[in-house]
């Protein structure tokens, strides 16, 4: 999931803030970013806007949070596909 615009970043951060449990981003190299940590969140956003953004995996501890994240990813993917 690559973030392509300032609006994407803002929406991503708002969804992360609304999650009640742990939310993590994992890189193919094994780096895990805890998105509940502000410092880790900013590093993760930097990776998401970069060239390897599509290779990162998003995880959540709670089922409700996973549903929010799946909706976000689907929405961002749809917007990305219609803009191309």
């Amino acid at each position: 999931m690559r973030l392509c615009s300032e609006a994407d970043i803002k929406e991503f951060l708002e969804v992360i803030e609304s999650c009640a449990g742990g939310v993590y981003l994992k890189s193919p190299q094994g780096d895990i970013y805890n998105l509940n940590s502000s410092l880790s969140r900013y590093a993760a956003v930097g990776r998401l806007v970069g060239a390897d953004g599509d290779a990162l995996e998003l995880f959540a501890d709670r089922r409700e949070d996973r549903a929010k994240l799946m909706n976000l990813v689907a929405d961002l993917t749809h917007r990305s596909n219609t803009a191309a």
Side-chain angles (χ1 to χ4, degrees):
M1 170 184 77
R2 183 181 297 165
L3 301 178
C4 298
S5 70
E6 187 175 326
D8 290 352
I9 294 169
K10 182 179 179 188
E11 185 176 359
F12 175 76
L13 294 175
E14 287 172 354
V15 171
I16 297 302
E17 284 290 323
S18 74
C19 291
V23 180
Y24 311 92
L25 196 65
K26 184 176 179 183
S27 75
Q29 297 80 22
D31 299 322
I32 298 175
Y33 300 93
N34 177 353
L35 298 179
N36 298 105
S37 159
S38 294
L39 179 60
S40 191
R41 187 180 304 161
Y42 286 108
V45 167
R47 297 283 306 263
L48 284 167
V49 299
D52 63 344
D54 289 330
L56 302 172
E57 295 181 72
L58 196 55
F59 297 93
D61 291 337
R62 296 182 51 162
R63 183 179 348 179
E64 298 86 1
D65 295 338
R66 285 192 295 270
K68 289 179 188 180
L69 296 170
M70 287 174 53
N71 288 335
L72 171 67
V73 170
D75 187 45
L76 292 174
T77 301
H78 176 72
R79 275 191 258 160
S80 170
N81 290 337
T82 57

